[in-house]
Amino acid sequence: MTGHLLGWTLVVLGAGAALGSLVRMASADGWARFEAGAEAAMGAGMAVMAAPPTALHYGTYGLWWAAVFAALCVGGVALAVRHVIRGGMRQLGHGTHLVIGSAAMVLMTLAVPGENSGPALALGPSGHGHGHGATAGMRGVGGGHGVIEAAASSGSAVLWRAAFWVLAAYFVVFVALAVRARLRGPVTAPAAPATRARDRRAARTPALLSAPNARLAGHVGMGGSMATMLLMMTA
C-alpha cells in the first residue's frame, strides 16, 4: 500500500460492508441470509487484510482465510444452481456475484505476504508481490522463493495481474449498477390516482436502516474496497 491512510480507508469500507451485510442478515432468511453472511465475512476479511497492524497476521494465516472464502464460493455456486433450476438461465445472476467475490478474496489472500514468508501468488516481476501488507511484509520476506520466482519468470504473473484488473473493472461496474438500481427504486404496481403521489414520495424517502439501503451500503463498500485492493495489488 502507498500509506497507512489508504489502508485505514479500506478498513472503513470493509467494516461498512460487513455492517451493512449484518443488518441484512437480521431481516433475511434462507439463502438470502447465507448471502448476506458471506458478504459480511468478506467485508471483515478485507478490513483485517487492509489494516496495517493486522495485514501480516492475515497473510500468515492466509491459507485458512482462503479455505473459508473457497467454501463461500462453493455456496455461491450452489445458490446459482438453485436459482437456475427454479427460474431458468435468466436467474443465473443470483449467486454469481457471490462466486466472483469469493474467488477474488481467495486470489487476494494468496497475494498477501505473511510475517516470515512471501505471497503464494506473485503479481510483480520481483516475485514478492504487491499487496496492502506488502510494505510491512517485505521486512519478513526472505531473499529467494523458488516457486514464486519461477511463476513470475514464466509469465504467469502477467496473466494473474490481468485477472486482477478484470475483477477490479467488474466491481466498479457492479457498484455503478447497484447505485443506479437503488435510485430507480423497486418496480411496483400502479397505484390509485389519489394515492399515487403520496406513494411515490414514500418510496423515495425510505428509512435509513431499511433493507434496500443496507444492501446498497454493503454493495458499495464491498465493491469499492474490492476494486481498490485489486488495483493496488497490481501497482
Side-chain angles (χ1 to χ4, degrees):
M1 281 298 166
T2 56
H4 283 190
L5 178 59
L6 180 56
W8 286 114
T9 301
L10 291 173
V11 170
V12 172
L13 288 174
L19 179 61
S21 298
L22 289 176
V23 172
R24 286 168 50 204
M25 282 186 66
S27 58
D29 55 6
W31 280 102
R33 177 170 292 180
F34 169 78
E35 186 177 6
E39 293 186 359
M42 288 189 284
M46 283 189 291
V48 177
M49 191 191 309
T54 58
L56 290 178
H57 298 289
Y58 181 94
T60 301
Y61 300 97
L63 291 181
W64 292 102
W65 284 98
V68 171
F69 296 130
L72 296 179
C73 186
V74 173
V77 172
L79 177 61
V81 171
R82 175 178 179 270
H83 280 287
V84 169
I85 292 176
R86 288 193 170 189
M89 293 300 296
R90 291 179 299 177
Q91 301 298 319
L92 183 61
H94 293 283
T96 302
H97 176 68
L98 178 58
V99 173
I100 296 175
S102 301
M105 288 300 298
V106 171
L107 293 179
M108 287 194 295
T109 297
L110 296 179
V112 176
E115 292 178 284
N116 300 306
S117 62
L121 179 62
L123 297 177
S126 64
H128 295 298
H130 299 275
H132 7 279
T135 302
M138 288 299 293
R139 302 171 189 167
V141 176
H145 299 283
V147 175
I148 298 174
E149 292 176 357
S153 61
S154 66
S156 61
V158 176
L159 297 178
W160 285 118
R161 287 163 67 90
F164 275 48
W165 292 331
V166 171
L167 286 171
Y170 165 81
F171 286 110
V172 170
V173 173
F174 173 79
V175 169
L177 292 178
V179 173
R180 179 188 178 191
R182 186 68 189 102
L183 291 177
R184 285 187 170 185
V187 179
T188 58
T195 61
R196 183 175 301 170
R198 184 183 60 186
D199 291 344
R200 185 181 295 112
R201 286 194 300 269
R204 291 181 180 275
T205 58
L208 181 62
L209 295 180
S210 64
N213 281 349
R215 184 179 183 86
L216 177 63
H219 284 169
V220 171
M222 182 77 66
S225 53
M226 281 270 200
T228 303
M229 287 182 177
L230 287 164
L231 291 176
M232 291 304 301
M233 284 185 168
T234 60

